[in-house]
């Protein structure tokens, strides 16, 4: 009869002889193994960069072509846009109320009321200013529905006081018809408003304002900053070449789930969250810079951080009934969990960071809001709970309006589609997310 | 190339790294398969299937120092799966009652045999015995773990181990006698 000690010694002898036993596999084993393994995933960064560049060029080209083929949405005529100012002029301005504090010595003779346009000009003090306006100058304005001839016929003859005659060259008195965007008009109005400031007004300064002052309605009462602000509607504000923006997007995430076929498991009865479940809520934050490439097209690029939540339930069944899940407890202990047919509930929150680039195409402007479309991509990766590269394509339709003189509010319903799949923690499913959300951003 | 570099390259499915990993561990893992398989062709199939699973699931490994234990674990799982596919009903196959050996002749024989001969002895064991013997004696799993892995009771695991020991001792004894007769 063997004792346990004898058995232990016998087991130890066997273990010593067999624990590190080595054998040579067949010569063609490596080829068969490599043939059965997944193909290498090679990321050719130059090729990816090239594709992105080509895509952007195509997008820009298509946008350019589309914009040239279909004109921009009609904007309000310049005369309508300047109507608030004109209305202010048309009102019977008390000499005192219309005058600027900076022009205390305004002479009654400096106000000319035109019966057609009711424009008026304040003459600054001769002593204080060397301002010179053209004499016998023709001011024209574009009224909706009028032809050029009609506009010429309806032009207003503006008669300058003798004090200002002879200071302007005759060529300065006639200019081609105003055919520029209303943006310039407002700029001129803005600059004219600054004329009311104590800064000296000279011909050079007027020329600096665009040499178009004679073509517009002559300034009536000194335009106050408030009136200028009224004229600075979103449709006519001049944008800077670049600006910074920050946005936050509340989103709902949806996903395409495909079981991973690498292992011998059956996943069935996959159930994801309901359409408007709280388990789908996520968010995205962006901060970056925006550049104006042309009158209609802009480009923005920035950093993106996003998180989206996933939850699903499924039933798991292994093909061989003895499959086990192995978890390391410590170096000597392994926890084995048999994988039988059982329900599994998976919930997780994926975090990703990336760089986003969007092309912005302006559609036009209304009274308060401007409309635009964006399309672009976000390239980055998931950082938790898995680390994996990920890219998104996104598009949005947005509206924006100014909140202050240099702060704009944007509202963009957006859609974002994930190009790369992530796996759940058990590597049983591949999840490709796509999101819908509302982006609220501020641009300065 | 360090183990960490090798692991990372294999996780990118780099064929050169996979080849290097294969050549580094093929002997150990094939030896394991030979112990668990009842024949060399079955060991070859087990080795191939296990290595494919290793390459497919290598991305789950983060620490290179656990690479070999993990690979051996995958191979053992593969062996268990193959065992279940082929011999589901044979796990509880009855065998003659274990016979206690009154002498230590089998120990002397065991010391004289080469590892290849020992493996052939183990391969000749019935499937259930061979699995329990390898899992417990060589790879160090305890009976509750073996019972869970093989889907049997702990008592069955213990009895099959005892019978495997007895069968091996009997074989060793016979082998020793044969050798003695031939010498």
């Amino acid at each position: 009869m063997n004792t346990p000690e004898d058995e232990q010694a016998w087991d130890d002898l066997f273990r010593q002889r067999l624990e590190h036993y080595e054998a040579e596999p067949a010569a063609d084993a490596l080829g068969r193994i490599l043939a059965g393994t997944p193909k290498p995933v090679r990321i050719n960064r130059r090729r990816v960069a090239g594709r992105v560049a080509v895509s952007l060029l195509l997008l820009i080209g298509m946008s350019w072509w589309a914009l040239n083929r279909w004109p921009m949405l009609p904007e309000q005529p310049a005369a309508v846009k300047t109507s608030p100012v004109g209305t202010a002029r048309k009102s019977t301005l008390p000499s005192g109320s219309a005058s600027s504090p900076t022009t205390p010595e305004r002479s009654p003779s400096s106000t000319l009321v035109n019966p057609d346009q009711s424009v008026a000009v304040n003459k600054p003090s001769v002593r204080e200013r060397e301002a010179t306006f053209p004499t016998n100058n023709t001011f024209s304005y574009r009224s909706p529905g009028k032809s050029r001839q009609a506009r010429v016929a309806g032009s207003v003859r503006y008669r300058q006081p003798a004090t200002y005659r002879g200071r302007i060259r005759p060529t300065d008195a006639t200019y081609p018809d105003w055919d520029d965007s209303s943006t310039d008009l407002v700029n001129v109005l803005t600059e004219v408003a600054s004329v009311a400031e104590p800064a000296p007004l000279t011909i050079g300064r007027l020329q600096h304002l665009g040499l178009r002052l004679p073509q517009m309605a002559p300034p009536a009462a000194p335009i106050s900053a408030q009136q200028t602000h009224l004229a600075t509607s979103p449709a006519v504000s001049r944008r800077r070449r670049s600006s910074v923006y920050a946005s936050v997007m509340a989103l709902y995430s949806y996903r395409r789930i495909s079981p991973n076929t690498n292992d011998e498991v059956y996943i069935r009865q996959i159930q994801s969250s309901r359409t408007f479940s709280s388990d789908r809520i996520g968010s995205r934050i962006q901060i970056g810079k925006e550049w104006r490439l042309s009158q209609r097209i802009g480009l923005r690029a920035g950093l993106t951080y996003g998180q989206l939540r996933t939850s699903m339930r499924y039933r798991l069944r292994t093909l061989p009934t003895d499959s086990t899940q192995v978890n390391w407890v410590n170096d000597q202990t392994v926890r084995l969990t048999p994988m039988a047919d059982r329900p599994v509930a998976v919930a997780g929150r994926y975090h990703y960071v990336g760089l986003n680039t969007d092309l912005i195409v302006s559609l036009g402007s209304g009274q308060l809001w401007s409309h635009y479309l964006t399309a672009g991509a976000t390239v980055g990766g998931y950082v938790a709970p898995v680390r994996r590269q990920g890219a998104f394509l996104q598009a949005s339709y947005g509206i924006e309006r100014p909140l202050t003189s240099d702060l704009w509010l944007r509202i963009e319903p957006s859609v974002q589609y994930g190009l790369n799949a992530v796996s759940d923690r058990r590597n049983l499913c591949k999840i490709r997310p796509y999101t819908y959300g509302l982006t609220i951003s501020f641009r300065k | 190339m360090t183990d960490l570099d090798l692991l990372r390259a294999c996780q990118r499915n780099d064929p050169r790294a996979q080849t290097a990993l294969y050549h580094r561990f093929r002997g150990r893992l094939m030896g394991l398969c030979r112990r668990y398989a009842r024949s060399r062709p079955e060991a070859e199939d087990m080795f191939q299937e296990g290595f494919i699973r290793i390459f497919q699931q290598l991305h789950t490994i983060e620490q290179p120092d656990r690479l070999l234990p993990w690979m051996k674990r995958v191979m053992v799982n593969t062996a268990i799966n193959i065992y279940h596919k082929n011999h589901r009903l044979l796990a509880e196959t009855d065998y003659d009652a274990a016979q206690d050996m009154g002498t230590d002749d089998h120990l002397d024989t065991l010391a004289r045999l080469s590892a290849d001969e020992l493996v052939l002895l183990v391969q000749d064991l019935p499937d259930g015995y061979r699995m329990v013997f390898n899992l417990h004696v060589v790879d160090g799993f305890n009976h509750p773990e073996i019972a869970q892995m093989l889907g049997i009771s702990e008592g069955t695991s213990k009895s099959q181990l005892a019978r495997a020991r007895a069968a091996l001792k009997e074989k060793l004894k016979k082998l020793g006698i044969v050798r003695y007769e031939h010498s």
Side-chain angles (χ1 to χ4, degrees), chain B residues 11-46:
Chain B
Q11 287 173 342
R12 294 192 300 268
N13 293 329
D14 183 354
R16 287 188 302 177
Q18 289 175 336
T19 303
L21 185 77
Y22 170 84
H23 286 301
R24 186 176 294 188
F25 296 107
R26 61 177 178 177
R28 298 285 297 275
L29 297 178
M30 184 61 192
L32 185 147
C33 293
R34 288 289 304 278
R35 283 192 287 112
Y36 278 91
R38 52 182 176 177
S39 65
R40 183 169 182 94
E42 187 179 275
E44 297 278 1
D45 292 341
M46 188 184 298

Side-chain angles (χ1 to χ4, degrees), chain A residues 1-2 7 10-11 13 15 17 20-26 29 32 34 37 40 262 322 331 336, chain B residues 13 26-28 30 40 44 48 55 66 80-81 84 100 106-107 110 113 116 137 148-149 165 169:
Chain A
M1 186 79 181
N2 286 336
E7 287 186 349
W10 196 79
D11 288 353
L13 191 56
R15 182 178 299 112
R17 300 293 301 279
H20 302 296
Y21 172 68
E22 295 190 8
E24 193 66 21
R32 285 183 283 144
L34 293 181
T37 53
N262 286 338
D322 66 314
D331 290 339
L336 302 172
Chain B
N13 293 329
R26 61 177 178 177
R28 298 285 297 275
M30 184 61 192
R40 183 169 182 94
E44 297 278 1
Q48 178 182 338
F55 284 143
R66 286 184 172 176
I80 293 172
N81 285 343
H84 274 292
D100 290 336
H106 59 283
L107 291 178
L110 181 62
L113 292 178
D116 287 333
V137 174
Q148 205 168 32
M149 293 160 72
R165 282 191 187 122
K169 288 173 185 176

Side-chain angles (χ1 to χ4, degrees), chain A residues 320-386:
Chain A
T321 56
D322 66 314
S323 294
T324 56
Q325 180 187 350
V326 182
N327 299 106
W328 290 88
V329 178
N330 53 47
D331 290 339
Q332 283 79 34
T333 310
V334 174
R335 179 186 297 116
L336 302 172
T337 308
M339 297 173 70
D341 191 353
R342 56 197 170 87
V344 178
V346 178
R349 187 179 291 275
Y350 290 93
H351 302 262
Y352 72 90
V353 295
L355 298 172
N356 68 283
T357 303
D358 296 284
L359 200 63
I360 306 171
V361 180
S362 174
L363 296 179
S365 304
Q367 284 286 349
L368 280 177
W369 297 91
S370 300
H371 306 262
Y372 60 93
L373 288 175
T374 74
T378 300
V379 179
Y382 295 89
V383 294
V386 295

